[in-house]
Amino acid sequence: MNSACGPILRFDNLTLGYNRHPAVHHLRGEVIAGSLLAVVGPNGAGKSTLLKGIVGELRPMQGRVELIGLQRENIAYLTQQSTLDVSFPIVIYDFVAMGLWAQFGAFRGFNRAAKQRIEEAIGAVGLSGLENRPIGQLSGGQLQRARFARLTLQDSPLVLLDEPYGAIDVNTVRDLAALVRGWNNEGRTVISVLHDFEHVRQEYPETLLLAREEVARGATTQVLSDDNLHRARHLAEAQGEASGAAICNAETHDTAEHQHG
Amino acid sequence: MSLIDTLAGLPLISPFVEFGFMRRALAGCLALSLGATPIGVFLMLRRMSLAGDAISHAILPGAAVGYLIAGLSLSAMTLGGLVAGIAVAVLAGGVARNSVIKEDTSLATFYLISLSAGVLIISMRGSNVDLLHVLFGSVLALDDAALFLLASFASMSIVAIAVGLRLIVLECSDPEHLARISRLSPLAHYGFMVLVVLNLIGGFHALGTLMAVGIMILPSAAARFWVCNIVPLLLTAVVIAFGGALIGLLLSYYVNLPAGPAIVLTLGGLYVLSMALGPLGPLVNRLRPRWHFER
């Protein structure tokens, strides 16, 4: 696990997009290892696109993302919509156990310590006793808990969460948020895309406000100011109207580099 | 009275004791049940049952070209089928990914082209008996070489599933997650497709191009009504496949039915029975009282 002293991620003039239409423009700066960073912004601001760029699902149109001290395969990434086929006949225990892939790969059997870790991860998300339940019989909240248990086992120094609390109840949000705090206390870097500003203010000391470009970054209380939020909305609407435009010019569209807080 | 004589007196066993061709057919079905059926389970779980059917038809023109060159030669037809099956599996997926044509349409086009081309090629040189042989198989005429081929494919499939179960499960349940966390994703995808084609070729030799996929999909679908965890599902499907094949062979022997269709129809019957009686089937599900207050 990275020590909390240097950067784990560096954005170097990063521009990401789809079909030559940029969704995130010229992002610069670093994320320090051990950060707990929220990424907020209006719909279409490029938040999920940024996470896809970090895990390498989207190749940069310009610039690059530098991962420091870890491989892309080792990033723990919770996508906004689960790509899991819930009709597949697999029980919670086996689903969560897939989180140990980085340590055991495709072919090695699980030893006693690994089995204990799987049971602990299931217990930590409150699903003890349901180990043998097929995933197809889980509620939305239970499935999200199981996905978090799998993330826990991935034991990655960098965790990316894309809208992890959509359509789940308050108790589940409270339990999973505590788990996220626990990961961060262990020294893991967590970057979460979120919409609930109140939750961000309570749980996340740092925030990146995006509106297809960086609007503000730093301490959450300062970033989520009325002025910044108004500017983000304005930018998103303006750029949304101009979304048919071709790729922007890097030289004329140079965002200020923000000091990481 | 010796044990053999006693067994020969039992109607369920006597055909296999008395006749070598029945024993060979049973051994061939056992190999298909152990190899092709588990692959069929994953094919079903990947929602590729119809794709499997299309690929089984795609084998025909390749096997037909082998037939054109070397007659009813096992190796030539196997090699031709292997090349054609893999080519169509890759081409159909490629067309669907890179054009406006969706995967079902893409598979249907290749299936129609393959079937008509295969029938045409065999009709150019062979007799109607040869055509029936490739369309409906010849499970009662499996020779040593064919049995060895079926056993080889079954062994390869069993080893591949046993060693790579975790890989295949993740490839079938959450391929995007597998692609993110492992570089083995292409191996899982294409390795699985090769196993599908190999087992379809095995099924082709025994049951013919029209019914090869029967012993893969019907027992898998039947087993799905009984169990909801992957390893028990694989084992249940194998038992249903072999049980269905055994009953089908006996029916064919005593009622004088063509063996291939008798086996596939018996598997179809077991599917309907499972749908009616299986705890996960629509009927039992509807009749069972609802559970309350369960976490």
Side-chain angles (χ1 to χ4, degrees), chain B residues 45-65:
Chain B
L45 294 175
R46 286 194 65 177
R47 298 160 198 237
M48 286 179 66
S49 302
L50 279 175
D53 200 27
I55 295 168
S56 84
H57 292 91
I59 290 166
L60 188 58
V65 170

Side-chain angles (χ1 to χ4, degrees), chain A residues 57 71 73 77 79 83-85 87-89 91 98 101 104-108 110 126 128 133-134 150, chain B residues 45 47 163 166-167 169-170 172-174 176-178 180-184 224 228-230 233 294-295:
Chain A
E57 275 183 17
Q71 301 288 312
E73 292 84 17
Y77 175 37
T79 51
T83 50
L84 172 74
D85 177 3
S87 68
F88 195 90
V91 294
M98 294 291 183
W101 191 282
F104 287 85
F107 309 114
R108 277 179 59 200
F110 296 135
S128 288
R133 179 161 298 189
R150 187 172 72 171
Chain B
L45 294 175
R47 298 160 198 237
V163 173
R166 203 178 297 156
L167 192 63
V169 164
L170 202 51
C172 293
S173 64
D174 199 348
E176 289 178 40
H177 181 68
L178 176 65
R180 273 193 294 273
I181 63 169
S182 171
R183 290 175 184 168
L184 295 175
R224 194 69 186 87
C228 52
N229 198 2
I230 184 67
L233 180 64
E294 193 183 11
R295 271 187 78 199

Side-chain angles (χ1 to χ4, degrees), chain B residues 143-154:
Chain B
D143 57 16
D144 283 351
L147 269 184
F148 183 74
L149 191 81
L150 293 183
S152 305
F153 290 167

Side-chain angles (χ1 to χ4, degrees), chain A residues 46-104:
Chain A
K47 306 179 295 295
S48 300
T49 304
L50 176 61
L51 298 196
K52 285 179 189 168
I54 294 171
V55 294
E57 275 183 17
L58 209 55
R59 289 169 72 90
M61 300 167 86
Q62 206 167 28
R64 67 190 191 118
V65 184
E66 190 182 348
L67 300 175
I68 300 157
L70 81 158
Q71 301 288 312
R72 286 193 198 283
E73 292 84 17
N74 293 336
I75 298 174
Y77 175 37
L78 187 86
T79 51
Q80 190 176 343
Q81 280 161 342
S82 172
T83 50
L84 172 74
D85 177 3
V86 290
S87 68
F88 195 90
I90 184 174
V91 294
I92 288 182
Y93 183 93
D94 293 333
F95 171 73
V96 172
M98 294 291 183
L100 288 174
W101 191 282
Q103 291 96 61
F104 287 85

Side-chain angles (χ1 to χ4, degrees), chain B residues 150-200:
Chain B
L150 293 183
S152 305
F153 290 167
S155 305
M156 284 168 62
S157 304
I158 291 168
V159 171
I161 289 173
V163 173
L165 182 64
R166 203 178 297 156
L167 192 63
I168 300 174
V169 164
L170 202 51
E171 162 66 14
C172 293
S173 64
D174 199 348
E176 289 178 40
H177 181 68
L178 176 65
R180 273 193 294 273
I181 63 169
S182 171
R183 290 175 184 168
L184 295 175
S185 179
L187 172 74
H189 180 75
Y190 290 107
F192 177 71
M193 292 314 291
V194 168
L195 284 176
V196 168
V197 173
L198 286 180
N199 281 288
L200 282 170

Side-chain angles (χ1 to χ4, degrees), chain B residues 101-177:
Chain B
I101 298 292
K102 299 286 178 213
E103 191 157 20
D104 60 333
T105 312
S106 174
L107 283 164
T109 56
F110 280 104
Y111 145 70
L112 290 164
I113 294 167
S114 305
L115 187 60
S116 49
V119 171
L120 204 75
I121 293 169
I122 289 173
S123 304
M124 277 163 61
R125 181 172 150 181
S127 64
N128 280 345
V129 175
D130 292 339
L131 188 59
L132 283 177
H133 172 85
V134 295
L135 289 180
F136 299 107
S138 48
V139 69
L140 295 180
L142 292 173
D143 57 16
D144 283 351
L147 269 184
F148 183 74
L149 191 81
L150 293 183
S152 305
F153 290 167
S155 305
M156 284 168 62
S157 304
I158 291 168
V159 171
I161 289 173
V163 173
L165 182 64
R166 203 178 297 156
L167 192 63
I168 300 174
V169 164
L170 202 51
E171 162 66 14
C172 293
S173 64
D174 199 348
E176 289 178 40
H177 181 68

